[in-house]
Amino acid sequence: MSFIKRLFVLLIVAALAAGGAFYYWAQAPLQLGKPTLDVTIKPYSSVRSVATQLRSGGVPVHPLLFNVLARVMDVGTKLKSGNYEFATGITPLEVMDKLARGDVNQYVVTIIEGWTFKKMRAEIDTSPALRHDTAGLPDADLMQLVGADRAEAEGMFFPDTYLFPKGTSDIDIYKRAYRLMQKRLDEAWAARAPGLPYTSPYEALIMASLVEKETGQAVERAQVAAVFVNRLRKRMLLQTDPTVIYGMGDLYTGRLRKRDLQTDTPYNTYTRAGLPPTPIALPGVAALAAALNPAPTDALYFVARGDGTSHFSTNLQEHNRAVDKYQRGEQ
């Protein structure tokens, strides 16, 4: 019996020693090869696979002890995939907790209101944290990937800041931006004023893009929209410079000349009646709201004052006087 007692005591001591050693390991700072490391954990990875991926990425966890730690913490089935940042000095316990919480790196790509889709694509293409699965893909094919029912991409993506873990496919960003634009457009369309000269939400989206490009002044968006709506109702040409610039494409060098206004393109609203065939930019929520709830005004013209604001006129004579005052410097 004394032998069995001694053996039992030894086993307890060994267990306590092992537990102490395990606790020490779990709390001991890990020394990484760099001050910080990015490690990507693949989806559906087992605990053993996660440990292997961590070690391959430079985080020296002990595979067996890491597996035991997962069992002790009861997180073996809760470890989340994604890209993680680890700093030297982090402990195995902190690593496990980070993985269980899904504390992945969040990168951002920001799409600005008024950008063209071409500019949006260029911004996404240069993001080093994204996986570029659409590089070189025609716009029409990209639109199919996002589930759109039309091939034209301009204006169909909502300008916003999008968070994502490193290694996300750029397709995910396009899908999120497309779905968000559909949501914002549907909301604005549902709250539209009665009697607007639009036959579809898409026409409202086109108008919103004109408003977005014509003014950066929040207080003027609804007035600018009203001018365009009033002109549509009277079957007047919209005569808005941003459509001409868009139609010129790479031929536009920063200066709009008289002959540019007279050169016909599908987007030249000085030579063609009605709305252009597609949006000319990515409108934000304020431009959408203005296009679908224009100001109650009879204004048909506006001209820039030179201070960032515009002068609105209800008739051509008043407009010409405003042009003389603000554009030609005549008093």
Side-chain angles (χ1 to χ4, degrees):
M1 290 295 294
S2 60
F3 172 75
I4 294 176
K5 288 181 179 179
R6 286 196 298 271
L7 180 60
F8 183 70
V9 170
L10 287 174
L11 289 174
I12 292 176
V13 171
L16 291 173
F22 176 75
Y23 178 81
Y24 175 81
W25 170 82
Q27 297 281 1
L30 296 169
Q31 298 304 311
L32 311 183
K34 297 180 181 179
T36 60
L37 289 174
D38 280 349
V39 180
T40 299
I41 303 301
K42 298 177 181 178
Y44 311 113
S45 295
S46 64
V47 176
R48 185 180 298 275
S49 176
V50 169
T52 300
Q53 292 171 62
L54 288 171
R55 290 177 63 83
S56 297
V59 182
V61 296
H62 190 287
L64 179 59
L65 295 180
F66 192 76
N67 190 60
V68 173
L69 181 60
R71 291 176 179 271
V72 170
M73 295 176 65
D74 192 28
V75 295
T77 60
K78 301 175 182 177
L79 303 187
K80 298 174 178 64
S81 62
N83 180 265
Y84 292 84
E85 182 179 86
F86 300 102
T88 193
I90 192 171
T91 68
L93 185 63
E94 291 169 337
V95 170
M96 188 68 74
D97 180 63
K98 193 178 184 78
L99 293 168
R101 288 185 291 109
D103 184 15
V104 297
N105 284 345
Q106 290 292 302
Y107 294 84
V108 300
V109 61
T110 299
I111 310 303
I112 305 297
E113 296 168 349
W115 276 5
T116 62
F117 182 64
K118 180 179 180 180
K119 172 64 176 172
M120 176 184 176
R121 288 203 71 172
E123 182 71 11
I124 289 176
D125 285 346
T126 57
S127 173
L130 284 170
R131 192 174 74 247
H132 299 288
D133 295 327
T134 68
L137 199 67
D139 288 354
D141 292 347
L142 191 153
M143 292 300 284
Q144 282 190 325
L145 285 177
V146 302
D149 58 1
R150 62 175 63 248
E152 298 82 13
E154 192 63 79
M156 300 297 290
F157 299 84
F158 191 74
D160 204 351
T161 294
Y162 295 92
L163 302 176
F164 61 92
K166 187 176 182 180
T168 295
S169 172
D170 57 1
I171 297 172
D172 180 70
I173 304 298
Y174 287 115
K175 285 182 176 180
R176 288 165 60 190
Y178 174 77
R179 288 194 295 263
L180 187 53
M181 178 58 86
Q182 296 303 300
K183 182 175 185 292
R184 295 288 183 258
L185 180 57
D186 288 345
E187 291 170 348
W189 182 258
R192 70 189 182 278
L196 294 173
Y198 312 135
T199 61
S200 67
Y202 187 67
E203 288 191 353
L205 182 65
I206 295 173
M207 177 63 80
S209 75
L210 304 189
V211 174
E212 189 68 68
K213 294 301 291 184
E214 271 290 5
T215 181
Q217 296 292 326
V219 295
E220 291 189 351
R221 288 193 180 101
Q223 290 177 282
V224 169
V227 168
F228 291 146
V229 166
N230 291 340
R231 292 177 76 94
L232 284 177
R233 284 172 174 155
K234 291 180 177 291
R235 300 185 182 277
M236 297 172 65
L237 295 174
L238 293 182
Q239 295 182 320
T240 170
D241 292 356
T243 62
V244 179
I245 293 170
Y246 186 85
M248 292 175 66
D250 294 336
L251 294 178
Y252 179 68
T253 59
R255 181 185 172 200
L256 202 58
R257 296 158 296 188
K258 184 176 180 180
R259 68 171 178 266
D260 297 325
L261 302 180
Q262 297 171 338
T263 302
D264 183 55
T265 74
Y267 289 88
N268 189 337
T269 53
Y270 284 83
T271 61
R272 300 199 182 196
L275 292 166
T278 73
I280 61 171
L282 308 175
V285 67
L288 288 168
L292 286 156
N293 287 275
T297 175
D298 294 328
L300 293 170
Y301 306 90
F302 62 91
V303 62
R305 289 193 175 101
D307 61 357
T309 65
S310 301
H311 179 92
F312 293 84
S313 305
T314 58
N315 58 72
L316 185 57
Q317 291 76 18
E318 181 188 353
H319 175 64
N320 286 337
R321 287 195 297 270
V323 170
D324 288 340
K325 179 178 180 180
Y326 297 114
Q327 298 289 309
R328 300 184 183 126
E330 300 177 13
Q331 298 300 319

